[in-house]
Amino acid sequence: MNMDGKAVAAEVRESLKARAARFEQTRGRKIGLAVVLVEGDAASEVYVRNKSRACAEVGISSRTVRLPADCSQEEAERTVRALAQDGTVDGVLVQLPLPSHLDGKRILACIPTEKDVDGFSAENFGKLAKNEACLPACTPRGVMELLARYGVDVRGKRAVIVGRSNIVGRPMALLLLNADATVTVCHSKTNDLREECLRADILVAAIGRPAFITADMVKEGAVVIDVGINRTEHGLVGDVDYPKVCEKASLITPVPGGVGPMTVAMLLLNTVEAAERAL
Ligand code: NDP
């Protein structure tokens, strides 16, 4: 059965409307999200537009601060620092990727932990690793939400994640571990990837290679989460060979319409939580 990320994301947005309205009533202003966009990346323009549309839908005020493609490191850092101090801004995110002349690490470090709604800061990451309250990265948080909404009890289950990036694989592993799964993280140096994947009750693919996870790597009845988004000549495809794997999986996320919509919904959730904590 498909896990319908589009529908679950719509439910999440619906539930956030009341929280955003309550915040506005008590504080006399809307919850605010600021997105710093360094111009020049077409895909980023689309992502930022989607984020601000989603904010408007739930009653979050979003502001896109645009910087020219050739802006200096100093200008980018100054912009983020100003937003960090702005009392009407509850969440700050810097849209990635940044042009190569900019030091992204230093720019991201200007976002204070409590406004780090992307969950990329070392402090949020550290708290996640220690199983403390934090703002977790949006994509893996979205996966956890999907699992919960579909009644997948992860406790004690064998979860295998393919991919160990800082924005997906690693935080995904920590969230599953914090939820009492038994977690294995695989990557490009893993010895027998097929063998590892075959043991998974829950298999998360976050690799960035079209249809990389084939049916012979999936246990009958496994829950398969496909984080991958690959643009091919046949359109958008995930990291999982969906047509074959869906015959074996008990639950599976399609691409598009699975994990993708959940990522934006979790950005809104993180922003609402950041604002509520600051009350
Ligand atoms: P990265 O390129 O940062 O990481 C890819 C990971 O896959 C690495 O850990 C790499 O291993 C591993 N890998 C690559 N090749 C192999 C292989 N042959 N065997 C085993 N492991 C391999 O990608 P991201 O984590 O940023 O993104 C992964 C995918 O998810 C992409 O398609 C991306 O577009 C998508 N994505 C989707 C989002 C959504 O909202 N749905 C959000 C973010 C990403 P190693 O570390 O050894 O190099």
Side-chain angles (χ1 to χ4, degrees):
M1 185 174 85
N2 265 350
M3 298 170 94
D4 187 344
K6 227 172 145 182
V8 175
E11 282 171 33
V12 172
R13 287 198 301 274
E14 198 53 44
S15 73
L16 290 175
K17 282 182 188 169
R19 286 167 73 175
R22 205 159 41 240
F23 180 95
E24 191 176 352
Q25 250 176 3
T26 22
R27 291 292 297 268
R29 68 162 177 88
K30 283 188 190 299
I31 293 173
L33 172 70
V35 179
V36 178
L37 173 66
V38 180
E39 291 172 331
D41 184 76
S44 291
E45 294 277 349
V46 177
Y47 292 141
V48 168
R49 226 180 5 255
N50 287 345
K51 287 171 189 176
S52 73
R53 205 175 293 145
C55 280
E57 191 196 325
V58 305
I60 294 174
S61 148
S62 80
R63 186 192 314 173
T64 303
V65 182
R66 306 180 81 92
L67 293 171
D70 62 351
C71 77
S72 68
Q73 179 74 24
E74 216 247 306
E75 190 182 1
E77 286 185 29
R78 200 176 344 109
T79 303
V80 176
R81 270 200 297 270
L83 293 168
Q85 292 189 345
D86 186 328
T88 66
V89 171
D90 302 286
V92 180
L93 77 84
V94 176
Q95 185 63 40
L96 300 175
L98 291 170
S100 56
H101 73 278
L102 293 175
D103 181 345
K105 250 192 196 160
R106 273 172 47 210
I107 295 168
L108 291 178
C110 299
I111 305 174
T113 313
E114 63 278 12
K115 294 191 180 185
D116 170 34
V117 286
D118 257 343
F120 292 161
S121 72
E123 199 172 328
N124 266 320
F125 219 97
K127 285 182 174 175
L128 182 63
K130 290 165 83 178
N131 199 9
E132 291 173 6
C134 64
L135 295 168
C138 299
T139 301
R141 186 172 195 184
V143 171
M144 295 307 288
E145 193 70 30
L146 262 183
L147 291 171
R149 301 264 175 150
Y150 277 86
V152 179
D153 181 10
V154 305
R155 179 192 284 206
K157 298 275 165 53
R158 227 178 249 287
V160 176
I161 300 146
V162 189
R164 56 174 166 180
S165 72
N166 289 337
I167 60 167
V168 189
R170 277 171 213 264
M172 186 76 256
L174 291 168
L175 282 168
L176 284 163
L177 181 63
N178 293 347
D180 295 329
T182 301
V183 179
T184 303
V185 183
C186 301
H187 44 78
S188 66
K189 311 293 184 297
T190 296
N191 271 342
D192 193 342
L193 186 64
R194 181 173 167 271
E195 203 55 43
E196 298 292 347
C197 291
L198 270 173
R199 286 148 55 95
D201 302 311
I202 299 165
L203 179 61
V204 182
I207 310 154
R209 294 181 174 223
F212 183 84
I213 301 290
T214 47
D216 64 320
M217 300 167 85
V218 178
K219 183 166 84 173
E220 196 72 46
V223 173
V224 179
I225 305 288
D226 190 351
V227 179
I229 300 178
N230 307 290
R231 280 163 226 284
T232 71
E233 54 185 19
H234 309 295
L236 275 194
V237 298
D239 288 347
V240 173
D241 183 10
Y242 178 88
K244 303 250 171 55
V245 173
C246 76
E247 288 170 16
K248 287 181 102 177
S250 57
L251 286 168
I252 185 167
T253 57
V255 177
V259 176
M262 293 302 294
T263 299
V264 180
M266 293 303 108
L267 170 66
L268 303 177
L269 176 60
N270 275 356
T271 305
V272 169
E273 284 186 358
E276 288 174 345
R277 276 182 210 163
L279 271 176

